[in-house]
Amino acid sequence: MRPAIAILRKELRVYFTTPVAYAAFTVFSIVTSFFFLRLLVGFQRQIDLNTQLRPHLLQYMNFTDQVLAPLTFQTAVVLVFVVPFITMRLLAEERRTRTFELLMTNPVAPWHIAWGKYLATLVVLAVMLALTLLYPLLVGLVAQVGGVAWETVGTGLLGLFMLGAAFVALGLFISALTSSQVVAAVITFCALLLLWVVGWAATENAGTTAEVLRSMSAIEHIRSFASGALDLRDLVYYLSLSLFGLFMTQRALEAQRWR
Amino acid sequence: MIEVQRLVKRYGAQPAVDGISFSVARGEVLGFLGPNGAGKTTTMRILTGALPATEGRVSVAGLDVFDQPMAVKRKVGYLPEVPPLYEELDVLAYLRFVARLKGLPGRRVKSEVERVVQTCGLGEVRGRLIANLSKGFRQRVGLAQALLADPEVLILDEPTIGLDPNQIAEIRGLIRRLAENHTVVLSTHILPEVIQVCQRVLIVHRGRIVADDRLENLTSEARSLEQTFHDLTQE
């Protein structure tokens, strides 16, 4: 247990004393705030349009469904781009600087390394996602009617965290396979991209094929969270992806011993 | 303290270590010599429990390295050829991390780190980032890391490589002091270092032992250690 906590603390220290975490936060905030603004402007335009032409439709419009839900969905896509950047160094860097030797010659088990690094990265992920709370908070401050459905904000963030955690586990595993951060980032990005676009193929198919493809896509599973529902299937999907990544990381670390 | 019996390590078909046997007594300082690629680092990594052997038995402090690698790792302090340093951390943060990695309880971490800082003369750089340290200080931080939790066995892979003559003298003095109450395996290319620090010398060549003797038997007035080394390891 102690070595895992030691690794967790060290990783957090490195994340927050080097530009890695801050660079990720900056990019993430800029992109998500751009999406938020676009959704907000679109929502405003539609309100204006409906007020002039179809006033009876106004009662069906609401901020949560038309801004927050799509924002959760788009934020999930941003994670496809940002997560490889925060996971690439986790193990690749240890191999390149030969500090991996330190972990191998001390009483540290593979699971200590995998979990220590995984949990530290989840802290970074949680802080990053917490930044998006600013958007509904701002709207809540100025909203005159209706306001923000905070349960939906909550499930959306939970969904994003679960999805991010699964992405981190995969990124960690891929980082364990190479000593090059660039290679780790590129492969992780490709893997996450694949998990996203496999859902697109579903629209071109029908029946069982479409169903299978859709359930493989990591982004499709965020839909329930985004609309404010908790679906056990989606929770199980993200959890199993996380555990798979962690298990493979431990295996990769064990294999390392024999080289 | 260390028992090695018919140790073999192959990478693919190529043997890096080809059936070597030796033992090191408690409190002994063993000089581990050999040309580059002779199998020194491989042997040392096997002794630390980091690398499994292909054949043979290795035990450290009565514990089998293959059966109980975790217990062995607790008894051994290892300084690899390239000190395993995190450049982003300062010296104290790094040493605290390694102390916790070795499983020291929280209340002992501080005093133990303080002890190795004093032993290795790191007082003046304790708050500096490792990235900004000179080579000599980096080497000392590497050594300090190996001393944490006071292991019975120290395995040092070329600890004075790349240092200036003053720094070499300092590190050597440090190793001599450590030898008073530790078992030390020291690999080096610098033969005078062996004469100053070690009692016994082991020379390996192409994965095999070509000499294993007390220092005085390998050198005489007519033959320097250098000549002996040269004769035994020449192609």
Side-chain angles (χ1 to χ4, degrees):
Chain A
M1 198 59 194
R2 268 195 205 119
I5 296 170
I7 292 171
L8 167 71
R9 290 174 65 166
K10 184 223 112 197
E11 287 303 322
L12 279 178
R13 199 184 172 99
V14 171
Y15 269 127
F16 288 103
T17 55
T18 61
V20 179
Y22 304 107
F25 294 167
T26 309
V27 171
F28 181 78
S29 305
I30 290 173
V31 178
T32 53
S33 60
F34 172 72
F35 286 158
F36 173 66
L37 277 179
R38 274 199 36 182
L39 286 166
L40 207 59
V41 168
F43 185 58
Q44 180 68 50
R45 282 220 186 99
Q46 216 178 344
I47 289 178
D48 293 345
L49 208 66
N50 284 350
T51 320
Q52 289 171 19
L53 306 173
R54 300 179 287 262
H56 61 283
L57 283 181
L58 276 178
Q59 55 175 320
Y60 299 114
M61 294 192 61
N62 82 71
F63 172 73
T64 306
D65 289 348
Q66 282 172 284
V67 177
L68 284 186
L71 183 64
T72 300
F73 200 75
Q74 291 172 3
T75 306
V77 175
V78 180
L79 287 179
V80 169
F81 294 84
V82 176
V83 166
F85 176 71
I86 52 178
T87 59
M88 64 181 186
R89 47 163 289 280
L90 284 173
L91 284 155
E93 176 78 350
E94 301 258 9
R95 303 249 314 262
R96 193 186 59 80
T97 59
R98 318 256 304 246
T99 46
F100 198 69
E101 191 88 348
L102 184 72
L103 302 177
M104 297 313 276
T105 53
N106 276 303
V108 181
W111 75 265
H112 291 138
I113 305 173
W115 280 90
K117 295 199 172 244
Y118 179 63
L119 294 176
T121 314
L122 290 195
V123 173
V124 175
L125 176 73
V127 173
M128 191 165 77
L129 290 174
L131 295 172
T132 63
L133 267 174
L134 189 65
Y135 313 137
L137 272 174
L138 281 173
V139 171
L141 276 178
V142 297
Q144 284 155 356
V145 280
V148 179
W150 287 103
E151 317 86 66
T152 310
V153 174
T155 56
L157 278 178
L158 175 69
L160 286 171
F161 182 74
M162 300 285 296
L163 168 117
F167 283 4
V168 167
L170 290 180
L172 178 64
F173 166 52
I174 292 164
S175 180
L177 299 177
T178 169
S179 57
S180 159
Q181 294 194 42
V182 176
V183 171
V186 169
I187 297 180
T188 305
F189 175 64
C190 290
L192 300 187
L193 201 61
L194 202 67
L195 279 179
W196 170 28
V197 300
V198 74
W200 296 357
T203 54
E204 286 142 29
N205 289 284
T208 321
T209 323
E211 201 58 38
V212 169
L213 287 174
R214 193 168 294 126
S215 48
M216 274 165 66
S217 166
I219 308 283
E220 286 298 320
H221 288 272
I222 202 83
R223 281 194 197 281
S224 63
F225 293 101
S227 59
L230 282 180
D231 190 327
L232 191 62
R233 284 173 301 181
D234 300 329
L235 280 168
V236 168
Y237 173 88
Y238 289 137
L239 270 178
S240 34
L241 209 55
S242 291
L243 291 176
F244 170 76
L246 279 166
F247 174 75
M248 292 305 283
T249 308
Q250 285 183 41
R251 284 284 124 143
L253 291 173
E254 273 159 31
Q256 214 75 67
R257 266 193 86 202
W258 297 89
R259 292 227 183 108
Chain B
M1 200 66 186
I2 302 174
E3 287 286 339
V4 178
Q5 285 165 18
R6 291 187 300 280
L7 176 68
V8 176
K9 175 69 192 181
R10 289 192 204 96
Y11 293 106
Q14 192 73 26
V17 176
D18 198 4
I20 70 175
S21 304
F22 64 91
S23 61
V24 188
R26 182 182 289 273
E28 199 169 26
V29 181
L30 177 75
F32 199 42
L33 308 185
N36 282 325
K40 298 191 300 287
T41 298
T42 302
T43 307
M44 291 178 134
R45 293 195 66 213
I46 292 170
L47 289 182
T48 63
L51 187 72
T54 313
E55 282 167 35
R57 297 191 67 77
V58 178
S59 71
V60 174
L63 299 160
D64 188 281
V65 167
F66 190 79
D67 295 335
Q68 294 166 283
M70 286 298 180
V72 168
K73 286 174 189 179
R74 275 189 199 96
K75 304 249 178 211
V76 176
Y78 179 49
L79 171 63
E81 202 176 328
V82 181
L85 306 175
Y86 294 97
E87 307 229 313
E88 309 92 330
L89 300 181
D90 62 64
V91 173
L92 281 186
Y94 171 74
L95 291 174
R96 272 191 233 117
F97 164 65
V98 180
R100 292 194 191 104
L101 207 58
K102 288 178 190 249
L104 284 181
R107 63 200 140 73
R108 273 194 58 206
V109 168
K110 210 177 159 200
S111 60
E112 188 60 13
V113 166
E114 197 48 46
R115 185 182 69 83
V116 299
V117 164
Q118 294 308 326
T119 311
C120 299
L122 290 167
E124 53 178 308
V125 297
R126 58 173 63 207
R128 293 253 297 272
L129 276 189
I130 291 176
N132 302 334
L133 293 185
S134 68
K135 201 155 187 176
F137 274 123
R138 292 167 77 99
Q139 205 70 32
R140 281 199 242 174
V141 176
L143 194 57
Q145 158 282 124
L147 297 179
L148 283 166
D150 203 18
E152 294 170 57
V153 178
L154 287 174
I155 298 180
L156 312 173
D157 199 350
E158 305 194 17
T160 55
I161 196 167
L163 300 184
D164 70 39
N166 296 334
Q167 293 166 333
I168 289 177
E170 276 172 41
I171 295 274
R172 257 182 223 164
L174 188 53
I175 294 169
R176 258 204 304 264
R177 265 179 282 136
L178 290 170
E180 287 163 16
N181 44 20
H182 293 83
T183 306
V184 182
V185 177
L186 173 78
S187 128
T188 179
H189 282 306
I190 307 165
L191 298 176
E193 187 160 291
V194 178
I195 296 168
Q196 288 182 23
V197 180
C198 306
Q199 296 130 16
R200 218 179 101 211
V201 174
L202 198 69
I203 302 177
V204 286
H205 181 47
R206 301 183 156 209
R208 293 171 183 275
I209 291 179
V210 290
D212 175 2
D213 214 332
R214 296 194 62 79
L215 188 62
E216 54 268 30
N217 300 337
L218 289 173
T219 54
S220 62
E221 275 169 36
R223 280 164 63 83
S224 67
L225 182 61
E226 219 148 355
Q227 277 169 317
T228 310
F229 181 87
H230 201 64
D231 294 346
L232 288 169
T233 60
Q234 219 179 9
E235 299 300 292

